[in-house]
Amino acid sequence: MNAERASPHPVLAALSGAVGSRVRTDAETLDRHRHDAWVLADLHDFQGRPAPRPLAVVEPATVDEVSQTLRICREHRVALVPMGGGSGVCGGVEPGAAAVVLSTRGLSGLVALDDRDLTARFRAGTMGDEAERLVRERGLTIGHWPQSVALSTVGGWVATRASGQYSTAYGSIEDVLLALEVVLPDGSVLRTRETPRAAAGPDLRQLFLGSEGTLGVVTEVTFSLRPVPEVSQGQALHFSTFADGLEAIRRLVRAGHRPPVVRLYDARESRRHFHEACPRGRHMLLCIHEGTAPMVAAELDAVQRICTDADGAVAEPSVVDHWLRERNRVPSFRSFLEQGVIVDTIEVAATWSRVGAVYDGVTKSLSAVEGILSATAHSSHSYRSGTNLYFSFAARPGDPSKLAATYDECWRRTIEATLAAGGGIAHHHGIGRVRRDYLAREIGESGVALLRSLKRVLDPDDLLNPGNLLPTRRR
Amino acid sequence: MNAERASPHPVLAALSGAVGSRVRTDAETLDRHRHDAWVLADLHDFQGRPAPRPLAVVEPATVDEVSQTLRICREHRVALVPMGGGSGVCGGVEPGAAAVVLSTRGLSGLVALDDRDLTARFRAGTMGDEAERLVRERGLTIGHWPQSVALSTVGGWVATRASGQYSTAYGSIEDVLLALEVVLPDGSVLRTRETPRAAAGPDLRQLFLGSEGTLGVVTEVTFSLRPVPEVSQGQALHFSTFADGLEAIRRLVRAGHRPPVVRLYDARESRRHFHEACPRGRHMLLCIHEGTAPMVAAELDAVQRICTDADGAVAEPSVVDHWLRERNRVPSFRSFLEQGVIVDTIEVAATWSRVGAVYDGVTKSLSAVEGILSATAHSSHSYRSGTNLYFSFAARPGDPSKLAATYDECWRRTIEATLAAGGGIAHHHGIGRVRRDYLAREIGESGVALLRSLKRVLDPDDLLNPGNLLPTRRR
């Protein structure tokens, strides 16, 4: 049967009845909602076997319309895939031809801002940079700066458990989120209280932080803001080994310092990003200190002393300005694919005693991949007990038909080497499709069983973003 | 039938077969496990209608024995109530005659400490003060100081979502907990990874933080530690109104300062605790600053300036030493009951714009209770967006048979006035039995429905601490 002549799926009429023209089935809209920013989806597009268009894209304008959309899809047993800015890089959005996409972009804007309480409530589809702009006008900041800030939504930050570049002082999204509104798979609405802290049973917000569209649709978020700091001042140092740089970070965090930005690049990344400003073979550390002038001055000095005691050499602070200008500029995956090169990033985390072995193990294992061009890393989010590593790899297999296989091999080696060294396999990009079959290695079989139980009780028909997050094996 | 002649419940033989002599049925042990430190249980003891003894107390020594205990109770459909130090004040432990108590006190001690990672893994039944002593020997601190530190277990801290006196800088237990091991109602064991942060689906630790023994038995906890600070220095100020003091705290937190201890007492509590050191009618603020000497000096000065700008007057810092000495000394409920007086504390929380109205509303509403002797409060845990209020009340009804009714009335008025002013009804003591029928007012009907779903899927026969946490109505 010719699909284009097929009668439209009955769910479409029901959705149109509920939300009118906010059901889109034009080719251009459907095309833009076939997948997120996962490189493997780009590869499939490039190779001329693109992911199919979804059945429809619904863009509800109210929470009530979100509820209705969920109820109608459930009634028709049609899968529904929530989508925000589509900037995810793990394949969390790949609806396929039989599913409806629920775009949150119709839910946009600031609902309430309270300067005294330092709170801002946004509708979930508000873009990150727009949300930040709206609070900056009042002298406030969300303090959450994912690289995707201009491509992602505030609801997406919550649904994916995002971290931003200023997380070492300001925390990840779970530390910024004060309250949320979420529509559950049965269409009912959960709103948590805007209160600074509660011991009233398990924290229900946490079920949706990182649920990646599988347990509900986040429709509103309230963030706990900060005033824009009086002073923001950067410094840079470089180290003769990556391990020395990590040791300096460990010591400065242990001493109680929390510069919002603490980024250590290995020698290859240092050269790639900072060129001549970083002597060859040296590993560059950037810090940005924020607060009142005297506190910033004191912290900058104290951190510099800790770093030079750990054999760091002071570099031109202008590299920090360079980073600030360039930090969100990322070449397209497509431009690499056109050169026969597959690239990706993989962020993991480990305690201090393990992170050096994770770095060594992963870079060594990746270097054995056929066609590997580079395997590098930086650390960009630090904690009292450890830090993350953000690996980047590029590979050009001799046979271009092997791009996908090479990609899988790079991922497999990175995950295996991370686990072998005792690290955790997902710091802030999430699970999606790229990590789902490794999930049991991270949270254990009993963790996966528990997640499956949560999924079953909330979404018994497996209609909300099916195929995402949970392992495909043993279903 | 005479209960003492009844044949023992078959579950006891099965438990003895599994854990041997760690099943206790002697009167003294059973008596000590009839209830936690809820004043209403003390009242019932005092009035000669004590809560019944449980069927047995099991004290497993290994996680495997915990699993077996859960499996055996499930098989026999016998309720099981986990119990740590028994210091809870909300009636979270009240097993009744038909349930077995699982005491975690057989699971005690430090399993692993890593100075480099600042991590310590404890078995759940380790007492709080003992855990702190074990890490102090190494120059480290957990930084978690509930008033019950010598009466509560590290597992109990997690199960009840506790906060400590140093939380304004060091966070509550959810900020200290790095990983946990928990036995689920079906006897399976969940261990989360010791990693500083992950985006790997919803954070499974959060299901058990605040579960109050209803979703699993916490058997091990790993905390992220801090070095013992170089300097710890206190200061005190007093204000002419409670609102002025709250405003000073709001400003100092907004400015980015985080003294671990920030406590504002209303005038009556100030006089009660600090006597002549606080001028009559003034509201006392205590701060303790910790860190390196220069950072402490800078923060102390900055905070003092913010407070004097908010009309605070500098007081003798010796009141801080007085507080440090006396802070965990609490008169027994019994001593009050013997004088015909019922007392309790109720901690709530609110954003800055609401907290003043919560204070005024609750104290006013309590003052209308028949026989009320005092209704006072302090703030002791502050956040960017708000703070908690810790109310204390004492009442002597004319008719001593009305102690329980007076108690209920004080609670009802406090909760209603808090909600009317937009506050949250539970900051850190938890829900237990005293708040369970107010839970829907805090998290909404859909929040309660969600919690019931979690309970149903994990514990379908409602055998783990039944009657606790979830509302009794509409069951």
Side-chain angles (χ1 to χ4, degrees):
Chain A
M1 195 168 115
N2 183 322
E4 282 170 24
R5 284 201 209 151
S7 35
H9 193 291
V11 78
L12 299 181
L15 288 169
S16 295
V19 303
S21 65
R22 285 186 290 281
V23 184
R24 309 267 160 74
T25 54
D26 61 286
E28 200 239 331
T29 301
L30 297 183
D31 267 346
R32 282 189 292 108
H33 294 82
R34 289 179 301 113
H35 58 74
D36 61 6
W38 189 20
V39 63
L40 218 52
D42 278 355
L43 175 62
H44 292 153
D45 284 352
F46 177 72
Q47 291 175 331
R49 26 187 207 108
R53 294 171 179 165
L55 203 54
V57 175
V58 183
E59 207 172 285
T62 63
V63 62
D64 189 55
E65 288 184 354
V66 174
S67 288
Q68 288 184 63
T69 302
L70 280 157
R71 287 204 184 98
I72 290 167
C73 285
R74 196 172 214 191
E75 208 172 293
H76 288 81
R77 301 183 68 84
V78 167
L80 187 71
V81 179
M83 184 169 181
S87 65
V89 291
C90 295
V93 175
E94 205 157 273
V100 169
V101 170
L102 187 160
S103 167
T104 61
R105 299 300 314 288
L107 302 160
S108 182
L110 179 66
V111 181
L113 183 145
D114 191 310
D115 177 80
R116 193 171 164 74
D117 290 344
L118 291 172
T119 53
R121 185 146 61 94
F122 295 101
R123 300 211 284 167
T126 311
M127 295 303 290
D129 55 350
E130 171 70 0
E132 179 68 17
R133 191 186 65 71
L134 289 165
V135 304
R136 281 260 160 180
E137 285 177 358
R138 308 284 288 266
L140 304 173
T141 176
I142 303 169
H144 183 74
W145 293 100
Q147 198 171 41
S148 66
V149 66
L151 307 170
S152 55
T153 61
V154 296
W157 295 350
V158 170
T160 60
R161 265 183 100 74
S163 289
Q165 292 154 341
Y166 285 60
S167 78
T168 297
Y170 303 152
S172 291
I173 198 65
E174 65 271 24
D175 305 303
V176 173
L177 183 73
L178 192 75
L180 57 68
E181 178 188 76
V182 61
V183 182
L184 303 183
D186 66 2
S188 65
V189 180
L190 175 76
R191 290 184 72 94
T192 69
R193 184 174 282 280
E194 287 188 6
T195 187
R197 201 240 174 199
D203 179 352
L204 298 177
R205 296 171 303 181
Q206 301 282 346
L207 278 172
F208 306 98
L209 280 157
S211 60
E212 302 189 17
T214 65
L215 299 178
V217 180
V218 176
T219 47
E220 255 185 32
V221 296
T222 303
F223 292 147
S224 188
L225 310 172
R226 300 165 188 278
V228 172
E230 188 182 303
V231 172
S232 182
Q233 192 177 346
Q235 66 175 325
L237 297 107
H238 48 73
F239 295 84
S240 60
T241 69
F242 193 62
D244 284 350
L246 289 173
E247 175 64 11
I249 300 175
R250 185 184 74 82
R251 290 188 197 170
L252 75 90
V253 171
R254 182 183 178 104
H257 303 298
R258 286 292 181 286
V261 176
V262 181
R263 301 176 72 86
L264 175 72
Y265 296 88
D266 71 7
R268 294 189 66 164
E269 290 200 5
S270 297
R271 199 71 185 176
R272 188 188 305 154
H273 293 305
F274 308 115
H275 316 286
E276 267 51 64
C278 186
R280 195 170 296 278
R282 303 286 290 182
H283 305 255
M284 184 74 90
L285 174 70
L286 308 188
C287 293
I288 296 179
H289 307 273
E290 294 195 340
T292 60
M295 297 299 270
V296 164
E299 188 181 80
L300 194 146
D301 282 357
V303 164
Q304 190 168 99
R305 206 160 38 243
I306 289 168
C307 290
T308 52
D309 284 354
D311 285 333
V314 176
E316 258 306 308
S318 61
V319 298
V320 178
D321 302 318
H322 173 78
W323 174 76
L324 281 167
R325 279 192 309 274
E326 301 291 323
R327 63 182 163 140
N328 296 337
R329 199 175 291 182
V330 184
S332 76
F333 290 139
R334 182 85 182 203
S335 62
F336 286 100
L337 293 172
E338 283 166 356
Q339 302 167 59
V341 176
I342 186 102
V343 299
D344 206 5
T345 59
I346 309 179
E347 16 65 63
V348 305
T351 55
W352 294 115
S353 61
R354 295 163 181 154
V355 70
V358 172
Y359 177 78
D360 294 342
V362 171
T363 49
K364 179 160 182 246
S365 183
L366 282 175
S367 72
V369 172
E370 195 210 311
I372 195 83
L373 301 175
S374 80
T376 63
H378 60 264
S379 152
S380 42
H381 307 266
S382 287
Y383 308 85
R384 291 200 298 286
S385 293
T387 191
N388 81 311
L389 288 176
Y390 190 98
F391 290 101
S392 296
F393 68 82
R396 187 194 286 116
D399 176 354
S401 76
K402 288 194 174 152
L403 280 166
T406 300
Y407 178 79
D408 289 344
E409 178 70 6
C410 289
W411 264 90
R412 192 187 62 74
R413 284 173 175 263
T414 301
I415 299 289
E416 295 293 347
T418 298
L419 289 166
I425 65 165
H427 180 267
H428 66 270
H429 284 169
I431 299 297
R433 281 169 175 75
V434 73
R435 281 186 175 101
R436 65 184 173 189
D437 287 328
Y438 298 109
L439 186 61
R441 307 284 298 278
E442 171 72 13
I443 65 174
E445 290 295 346
S446 56
V448 171
L450 180 52
L451 266 189
R452 284 196 201 282
S453 296
L454 299 179
K455 175 72 171 167
R456 197 164 50 241
V457 74
L458 282 171
D459 181 20
D461 302 318
D462 193 19
L463 293 177
L464 208 55
N465 208 351
N468 191 41
L469 182 59
L470 287 164
T472 50
R473 295 171 198 148
R474 300 185 45 209
R475 291 192 89 177
Chain B
M1 195 170 117
N2 183 323
E4 284 171 22
R5 285 201 206 150
S7 34
H9 193 291
V11 78
L12 299 181
L15 288 169
S16 295
V19 303
S21 66
R22 286 186 289 283
V23 183
R24 308 266 160 75
T25 52
D26 62 285
E28 200 238 332
T29 301
L30 296 183
D31 266 346
R32 281 189 293 107
H33 294 82
R34 287 179 302 114
H35 59 74
D36 61 5
W38 189 20
V39 62
L40 218 52
D42 278 356
L43 175 62
H44 292 154
D45 284 353
F46 178 72
Q47 291 176 330
R49 29 190 205 106
R53 294 171 178 164
L55 203 53
V57 175
V58 183
E59 206 172 285
T62 65
V63 63
D64 189 55
E65 288 184 353
V66 173
S67 288
Q68 288 183 64
T69 301
L70 279 158
R71 287 204 184 96
I72 289 167
C73 285
R74 197 173 213 191
E75 207 172 295
H76 288 80
R77 302 184 67 83
V78 167
L80 188 71
V81 178
M83 185 169 180
S87 65
V89 290
C90 296
V93 175
E94 205 157 274
V100 169
V101 169
L102 187 160
S103 167
T104 61
R105 299 300 315 288
L107 302 160
S108 182
L110 180 66
V111 181
L113 184 144
D114 191 309
D115 177 80
R116 193 172 163 74
D117 291 345
L118 291 172
T119 54
R121 185 145 61 94
F122 296 101
R123 300 213 285 166
T126 311
M127 295 304 289
D129 55 350
E130 171 70 0
E132 178 69 19
R133 191 186 65 73
L134 289 164
V135 304
R136 282 259 160 181
E137 284 175 358
R138 308 283 289 266
L140 304 173
T141 176
I142 303 169
H144 183 74
W145 294 99
Q147 198 172 41
S148 66
V149 66
L151 308 170
S152 55
T153 62
V154 296
W157 296 350
V158 170
T160 60
R161 264 184 100 72
S163 289
Q165 292 154 341
Y166 285 59
S167 77
T168 297
Y170 303 152
S172 291
I173 198 66
E174 64 271 24
D175 305 303
V176 173
L177 183 73
L178 192 75
L180 56 67
E181 178 189 75
V182 61
V183 182
L184 303 183
D186 66 1
S188 66
V189 179
L190 175 77
R191 290 184 72 95
T192 69
R193 184 174 282 280
E194 287 189 6
T195 186
R197 202 240 175 199
D203 179 353
L204 297 177
R205 296 171 303 181
Q206 300 282 346
L207 279 172
F208 306 99
L209 280 156
S211 61
E212 302 188 17
T214 66
L215 298 178
V217 180
V218 176
T219 46
E220 253 184 35
V221 296
T222 303
F223 293 146
S224 189
L225 309 173
R226 301 163 186 279
V228 172
E230 190 182 302
V231 172
S232 182
Q233 191 177 344
Q235 65 174 327
L237 297 107
H238 48 73
F239 294 84
S240 60
T241 68
F242 193 63
D244 284 350
L246 289 172
E247 174 64 11
I249 299 175
R250 185 183 74 82
R251 290 188 198 169
L252 75 90
V253 172
R254 182 183 179 105
H257 303 299
R258 286 290 181 288
V261 176
V262 182
R263 300 175 73 85
L264 174 71
Y265 296 88
D266 72 6
R268 294 189 65 163
E269 291 200 5
S270 297
R271 200 71 186 178
R272 188 188 305 154
H273 292 304
F274 308 115
H275 315 287
E276 283 2 278
C278 185
R280 194 170 297 279
R282 303 286 290 182
H283 305 255
M284 184 74 92
L285 174 70
L286 309 188
C287 294
I288 295 178
H289 307 273
E290 293 194 340
T292 60
M295 297 299 269
V296 163
E299 187 181 80
L300 194 146
D301 282 355
V303 165
Q304 190 168 98
R305 206 161 38 243
I306 289 167
C307 290
T308 52
D309 285 353
D311 286 333
V314 176
E316 258 306 309
S318 61
V319 297
V320 178
D321 302 319
H322 173 78
W323 174 76
L324 281 166
R325 279 191 309 274
E326 300 292 323
R327 63 184 164 138
N328 296 337
R329 198 174 292 181
V330 184
S332 76
F333 290 138
R334 182 87 182 201
S335 62
F336 286 101
L337 294 172
E338 285 166 354
Q339 302 167 59
V341 175
I342 185 102
V343 300
D344 205 5
T345 59
I346 308 179
E347 16 65 63
V348 304
T351 56
W352 294 115
S353 62
R354 295 163 182 155
V355 69
V358 172
Y359 177 77
D360 293 342
V362 171
T363 50
K364 180 162 179 243
S365 183
L366 282 175
S367 71
V369 171
E370 195 210 311
I372 195 83
L373 300 175
S374 79
T376 63
H378 61 263
S379 152
S380 42
H381 307 267
S382 287
Y383 308 85
R384 290 200 298 287
S385 292
T387 191
N388 83 311
L389 288 176
Y390 191 97
F391 290 101
S392 297
F393 68 82
R396 186 195 285 117
D399 176 355
S401 76
K402 289 193 174 153
L403 280 166
T406 300
Y407 177 79
D408 289 344
E409 178 70 6
C410 288
W411 265 90
R412 193 187 61 73
R413 285 173 174 262
T414 300
I415 299 291
E416 293 294 347
T418 298
L419 290 166
I425 65 166
H427 180 269
H428 66 270
H429 283 169
I431 298 295
R433 282 170 174 75
V434 73
R435 281 187 175 100
R436 65 184 172 187
D437 287 329
Y438 298 109
L439 186 61
R441 307 284 299 278
E442 172 72 13
I443 65 173
E445 290 295 346
S446 55
V448 170
L450 180 52
L451 266 188
R452 285 196 200 282
S453 297
L454 299 179
K455 176 71 172 168
R456 198 165 50 242
V457 75
L458 283 170
D459 182 20
D461 301 319
D462 192 19
L463 293 176
L464 209 55
N465 207 350
N468 191 39
L469 182 57
L470 286 164
T472 50
R473 295 172 197 148
R474 299 186 46 211
R475 293 192 87 176

